[in-house]
Amino acid sequence: MQIGVIGLGNIGGAIAANLVADGHEVTVHDLDASLADAVTGASAAGDVESVARATDIALLSLPTPDVVAAVATGWATAAKPGSVLVDLSTNSPAVVRELGDRLAGSGHSLVEAPLTGGAIGAERRMLVFMIGGDTEPVARVRPVLEPLGRATINVGGPGPGNTMKLLNSLIAFTTTWVSLEGLSMAAKAGIEVRYAVEILRTAGASNFYLDRQVETIDGRGRPAQFALALAAKDAGLIVESGATLGVPTPVASAVRDVLEEAVAQGLGGADWSELVALAEQQASVALRWGPDPGDSP
């Protein structure tokens, strides 16, 4: 197929490379032209409109709802009738619904496909897509998305796909921060982090962070694959969506405040894993995985 990719960050760039490997004719664009040039086998376009004219399906991987809306507006001015815009970004469900209506009015279709898996998942084709949209355009884009990940789930929509992505993020963010709070308490009490995690896993209080990420707690300064500034943006969307739905979000609001504090402390450009630095700062404690303590503390 003739496919465009707009936004070539950690995820968009990896997806574009995989689409080339899948045999598609791929046209790419990013404000940083060097990122477009780096996608071997793809054609670099100078602007969004050029991508729209060259392709039937365009994928967006962009940072904020405002940027998505602006790019979609430019795309719609040049896209062929019947073209499909696929938004891979984490977006506001309300913005997605409004954008879908607007594109339908110009003879185009929007499919939302927010994803989980991050940069590594994009590179290794381990993404999970939560797609929403009308039946016909969803059927057109599924063969494009399915080889890029391990699951492509049709939630309905548009709108529910991003609702589910935000719920997934809410639970991941919350369990990460509460785990760091708990481990800070353990460390202050003189309990080794490694040993505390072993007890929590055995006692039944394990979660996303303790199962999948805590063992990398010593790995600081890695390149940002999911920046804390983006996490703070997503947390704001979670609280906003809760308010729209009439659902109280006291925990989500607290986690949003934590992430905004991380950004205020200069960690916005750092990888998500650096949230541990804020926990250490607030509790005046060092959190390290450290050596194996054996069978006893």
Side-chain angles (χ1 to χ4, degrees):
M1 297 184 185
Q2 294 178 319
I3 300 173
V5 181
I6 301 170
L8 302 169
N10 289 328
I11 292 175
I15 285 175
N18 284 335
L19 289 170
V20 171
D22 289 342
H24 299 293
E25 296 180 29
V26 181
T27 303
V28 296
H29 172 69
D30 193 279
L31 291 177
D32 183 345
S34 67
L35 296 179
D37 293 337
V39 184
T40 303
S43 299
D47 52 40
V48 169
E49 291 78 9
S50 296
V51 175
R53 285 189 288 269
T55 60
D56 302 308
I57 296 172
L59 312 182
L60 305 184
S61 182
L62 300 170
T64 67
D66 288 346
V67 174
V68 170
V71 169
T73 298
W75 173 88
T77 64
K80 293 169 279 189
S83 295
V84 181
L85 189 65
V86 183
D87 183 19
L88 306 177
S89 318
T90 301
N91 207 332
S92 160
V95 170
V96 168
R97 286 190 292 269
E98 189 276 332
L99 190 56
D101 291 341
R102 185 145 49 91
L103 292 182
S106 62
H108 308 112
S109 298
L110 176 70
V111 172
E112 61 170 345
L115 54 86
T116 64
I120 292 176
E123 293 170 6
R124 299 178 182 176
R125 299 177 184 263
M126 292 296 291
L127 298 171
V128 176
F129 297 97
M130 289 157 271
I131 61 176
D134 293 335
T135 301
E136 190 275 333
V138 166
R140 287 175 61 190
V141 304
R142 284 187 75 104
V144 175
L145 298 180
E146 285 177 344
L148 301 174
R150 60 187 176 88
T152 304
I153 305 167
N154 191 349
V155 185
N162 271 282
T163 298
M164 283 307 309
K165 170 58 192 293
L166 293 175
L167 297 186
N168 187 79
S169 296
L170 167 61
I171 294 169
F173 294 169
T174 302
T175 54
T176 296
W177 183 249
V178 76
S179 295
L180 290 171
E181 283 189 358
L183 294 177
S184 296
M185 293 173 64
K188 292 283 279 207
I191 303 169
E192 295 280 354
V193 167
R194 181 192 291 261
Y195 191 65
V197 170
E198 178 185 341
I199 293 171
L200 291 168
R201 288 172 175 171
T202 304
S206 199
N207 57 52
F208 162 81
Y209 182 73
L210 296 180
D211 283 342
R212 300 175 59 180
Q213 295 192 338
V214 69
E215 292 181 21
T216 67
I217 201 168
D218 294 342
R220 312 297 174 89
R222 69 189 67 178
Q225 296 190 3
F226 179 50
L228 279 164
L230 291 177
K233 179 268 295 186
D234 291 355
L237 292 176
I238 292 166
V239 174
E240 174 189 297
S241 295
T244 299
L245 294 168
V247 176
T249 54
V251 174
S253 297
V255 173
R256 176 202 58 194
D257 293 345
V258 166
L259 292 167
E260 289 180 349
E261 176 63 17
V263 173
Q265 294 299 321
L267 294 170
D271 186 68
W272 161 256
S273 60
E274 298 292 327
L275 190 61
V276 64
L278 183 65
E280 291 178 321
Q281 175 187 318
Q282 292 187 350
S284 299
V285 69
L287 296 177
R288 297 292 186 272
W289 190 242
D292 188 345
D295 296 331
S296 61

